[in-house]
Amino acid sequence: AQTVTQSQPEMSVQEAETVTLSCTYDTSENNYYLFWYKQPPSRQMILVIRQEAYKQQNATENRFSVNFQKAAKSFSLKISDSQLGDTAMYFCALDVGNMLTFGGGTRLMVKP
Amino acid sequence: GAVVSQHPSRVICKSGTSVKIECRSLDFQATTMFWYRQFPKQSLMLMATSNEGSKATYEQGVEKDKFLINHASLTLSTLTVTSAHPEDSSFYICSAREGSSYNSPLHFGNGTRLTVT
């Protein structure tokens, strides 16, 4: 069975600053994919960034980057130059064997 | 990009009635679709995995006779909440995997807010 843990239920950051959201996971599989999804108040799930487990290089998508530590089973998300529109719920997710498991989520508030 | 259309976005029904929610992949074929349930301020909980042309695989604790899933074509999966009760009120989200391999991208619908009175 797979588990995903997000230890920060809520976080806040000042606009233009950097914030890091934590995620740890557990799986016995060696091949898997990790994701960060954003869910704004509209409830639409938006893919933020994706990481293949077999790639050592950390994924980057504009202001979003990850720190993937496979041995530690850690997958944190760094948001640089935070914007008001980044305010949302953020979910870490593990995709193994055609099954996606979500973490409990972190509510991020970007303050002006 | 790939789009998943979920309909209706909101539905209110009376206790004891059935409600059908549709999930369509508009510009790609989806061999596998997933149905999630999300309570307020909580994460998405997988209810079932729907494979085209075969029976859905339900997660532990999900009543298959209450939550009927049909995936009759490569672009449409439906979730029917039968004999709905107030405790079934929730936000339901579908997702569809683009392509047949496990590393294919996953696209989400906009969700359906179900209120049972």
Side-chain angles (χ1 to χ4, degrees), chain A residues 12-106:
Chain A
S12 63
V13 63
Q14 290 296 132
E15 192 176 9
E17 294 189 347
T18 296
V19 64
T20 298
L21 308 184
S22 300
C23 173
T24 58
Y25 62 93
D26 191 29
T27 178
S28 58
E29 299 293 327
N30 198 43
N31 295 319
Y32 51 88
Y33 300 83
L34 291 158
F35 303 87
W36 278 97
Y37 283 93
K38 169 185 177 181
Q39 189 180 42
S42 67
R43 309 292 290 270
Q44 173 68 43
M45 295 292 285
I46 301 168
L47 177 64
V48 174
I49 201 164
R50 161 189 162 120
Q51 174 81 43
E52 291 90 343
Y54 61 85
K55 288 188 177 179
Q56 291 187 339
Q57 186 174 6
N58 289 325
T60 299
E61 196 71 40
N62 299 317
R63 298 183 295 108
F64 300 90
S65 62
V66 298
N67 183 4
F68 174 48
Q69 301 291 326
K70 190 172 183 179
K73 294 182 179 175
S74 170
F75 183 62
S76 61
L77 174 69
K78 185 171 82 172
I79 306 175
S80 304
D81 185 25
S82 297
Q83 300 176 358
L84 296 179
D86 294 335
T87 293
M89 281 289 291
Y90 286 82
F91 293 101
C92 178
L94 169 66
D95 193 351
V96 178
N98 207 27
M99 181 173 173
L100 193 65
T101 302
F102 286 90
T106 296

Side-chain angles (χ1 to χ4, degrees), chain A residues 6 10 33 35 37 39 41-47 50 52 54 89 91-92 95-105 107, chain B residues 32 34 36 38-46 49 51 59 91 93 95 97 101-111 113:
Chain A
Q6 292 177 248
E10 293 186 0
Y33 300 83
F35 303 87
Y37 283 93
Q39 189 180 42
S42 67
R43 309 292 290 270
Q44 173 68 43
M45 295 292 285
I46 301 168
L47 177 64
R50 161 189 162 120
E52 291 90 343
Y54 61 85
M89 281 289 291
F91 293 101
C92 178
D95 193 351
V96 178
N98 207 27
M99 181 173 173
L100 193 65
T101 302
F102 286 90
R107 183 174 302 278
Chain B
T32 304
F34 304 88
Y36 298 87
Q38 186 179 29
F39 289 106
K41 299 185 179 181
Q42 293 188 23
S43 187
L44 282 71
M45 299 301 297
L46 179 65
T49 301
N51 293 298
E59 294 303 301
F91 191 69
I93 305 176
S95 67
R97 196 176 287 282
S101 61
Y102 291 167
N103 63 348
S104 301
L106 206 59
H107 305 283
F108 285 84
N110 285 340
R113 183 178 301 281

Side-chain angles (χ1 to χ4, degrees), chain B residues 43-87:
Chain B
S43 187
L44 282 71
M45 299 301 297
L46 179 65
M47 298 175 66
T49 301
S50 168
N51 293 298
E52 186 267 336
S54 63
K55 290 184 178 180
T57 302
Y58 290 82
E59 294 303 301
Q60 192 173 9
V62 178
E63 300 175 59
K64 59 183 67 176
D65 293 331
K66 179 167 190 61
F67 298 99
L68 300 179
I69 292 173
N70 183 277
H71 193 160
S73 77
L74 285 171
T75 59
L76 174 65
S77 176
T78 60
L79 167 67
T80 301
V81 183
T82 63
S83 186
H85 289 97
E87 57 265 31

Side-chain angles (χ1 to χ4, degrees), chain B residues 8 10-14 17 19 113-117:
Chain B
R10 292 175 180 267
V11 58
I12 300 173
C13 70
K14 292 186 176 180
T17 62
V19 173
R113 183 178 301 281
L114 170 63
T115 303
V116 184
T117 60

